[in-house]
Amino acid sequence: MNKLFSLEGKIALVTGASYGIGFAIASAMAGAGAKIVFNDLKQEFVDKGIAAYKAAGIDAKGYVCDVTNEDAVNELVKKIEAEVGVIDILVNNAGIIKRIPMIEMKASEFRQVIDVDLNAPFIVSKAVIPSMIKKGHGKIINICSMMSELGRETVSAYAAAKGGLKMLTRNIASEYGEYNIQCNGIGPGYIATPQTAPLREKQPDGSRHPFDSFIIAKTPAARWGEASDLGGPAVFLASDASNFVNGHILYVDGGILAYIGKQP
Ligand code: NAP
Ligand code: GCO
């Protein structure tokens, strides 16, 4: 059974993985035997990431690359294939959010979120699939969201992107499943990372942020998720244990999507 969940001998590219959810997923995959490659926007973050992986006993290789830049992504994949080897597992993790009421949001801001959260997973997946086809197998994991299923105020661009990412996941699964490539999504609930820090900030009087209390009431687990909660599900979707799972979005949300919420 352990072999089924092993990633020994596999090369995993996790985008935007200097910290946060990407770092946690990459660390879990390393623990299952994968060789970790990651990218970030700035050398400073790549260096910090390499140091953090080293501190965790992981010899990760980091590259500077903006995942929205197709030429840069194609160069990155070529470099990884030359320096490390063909990518077996791709985790499209890099993402941004802009919390702005829709009618106040500039079109350029909307496009920027779509570019990182939806166009980039298309670009990076397109860059790695040909070699996966040649190799005879591949795993693609797209990091979706509660907003792949639900809307809320101020996150119109993010919800549109993550809803699209859910369908891109299903389409890659449909188009490349015959080449033994499985493409699935992970839909994290509310996870305590820098991206959600503004939603958890203590109030001036020391009380919890109203959104913090809201999420606790909406989550059967009555807690925010930790990035490490996503490691096991990611290893499952990256391993042979999920070779007949395709086009599935695995929600790792403490039960939010199943629950109407605690009466205030
Ligand atoms: P985070 O803390 O903001 O980290 C995002 C990472 O993506 C950073 O390393 C960032 O690099 C990188 N990135 C952003 N734009 C990039 C670009 N153009 N090219 C390369 N790297 C880029 O976010 P997180 O909370 O870990 O979230 C990671 C993923 O999970 C995102 O897709 C997010 O939408 C999704 N998600 C998060 C939650 C949550 O509650 N936290 C829940 C569901 C889904 P820089 O540091 O250089 O900007
Ligand atoms: C927000 C949060 C969420 C989380 C996540 C939930 O502002 O509502 O940032 O969008 O990041 O996507 O799954």
Side-chain angles (χ1 to χ4, degrees):
M1 182 53 83
N2 285 346
K3 199 171 175 317
L4 213 50
F5 290 86
S6 169
L7 302 182
E8 286 297 336
K10 298 285 172 61
I11 295 168
L13 168 61
V14 186
T15 65
S18 299
Y19 57 85
I21 287 173
F23 181 86
I25 286 177
S27 301
M29 289 186 172
K35 167 70 184 165
I36 298 304
V37 182
F38 73 100
N39 73 296
D40 214 307
L41 272 170
K42 301 180 201 94
Q43 189 62 50
E44 175 205 344
F45 283 114
V46 169
D47 294 344
K48 279 190 184 149
I50 290 170
Y53 284 112
K54 196 161 186 254
I58 299 166
D59 174 22
K61 206 161 171 49
Y63 296 86
V64 176
C65 178
D66 176 350
V67 291
T68 65
N69 179 328
E70 188 165 20
D71 291 342
V73 166
N74 290 334
E75 272 314 299
L76 171 70
V77 171
K78 278 202 197 89
K79 206 164 181 197
I80 293 169
E81 290 187 356
E83 295 176 2
V84 187
V86 171
I87 294 161
D88 301 289
I89 301 158
L90 167 64
V91 181
N92 283 308
N93 167 78
I96 62 171
I97 191 167
K98 289 182 183 300
R99 300 184 182 95
I100 304 167
M102 198 188 91
I103 59 173
E104 295 166 25
M105 184 176 240
K106 296 189 191 81
S108 58
E109 291 168 321
F110 188 94
R111 283 193 203 99
Q112 193 190 354
V113 175
I114 298 289
D115 215 13
V116 180
D117 294 5
L118 179 56
N119 294 346
F122 159 76
I123 288 168
V124 186
S125 301
K126 183 182 162 205
V128 305
I129 285 173
S131 295
M132 288 180 171
I133 290 174
K134 280 197 202 101
K135 205 168 182 182
H137 68 255
K139 295 281 188 179
I140 297 174
I141 301 168
N142 293 322
I143 307 302
C144 296
S145 161
M146 294 288 94
M147 274 59 215
S148 296
E149 301 295 342
L150 304 168
R152 85 172 186 86
E153 300 76 9
T154 76
V155 295
S156 59
Y158 185 82
K162 294 297 187 179
L165 185 56
K166 173 175 74 171
M167 285 315 302
L168 177 64
T169 300
R170 290 181 176 159
N171 215 76
I172 293 172
S174 307
E175 199 165 354
Y176 296 100
E178 66 178 284
Y179 301 103
N180 190 29
I181 293 170
Q182 290 85 47
C183 181
N184 292 287
I186 286 178
Y190 280 80
I191 312 295
T193 71
Q195 191 246 50
T196 55
L199 306 174
R200 289 176 282 108
E201 258 162 25
K202 282 270 182 266
Q203 300 301 282
D205 65 1
S207 63
R208 296 180 94 134
H209 190 296
F211 197 89
D212 182 355
S213 307
F214 168 67
I215 288 302
I216 299 295
K218 280 288 284 177
T219 310
R223 68 174 175 88
W224 283 72
E226 295 300 328
S228 56
D229 287 321
L230 300 164
V235 168
F236 164 64
L237 289 177
S239 72
D240 289 340
S242 61
N243 283 351
F244 204 54
V245 178
N246 208 8
H248 182 72
I249 312 297
L250 178 54
Y251 286 99
V252 185
D253 65 354
I256 293 179
L257 286 179
Y259 184 40
I260 195 169
K262 191 176 287 303
Q263 183 184 347

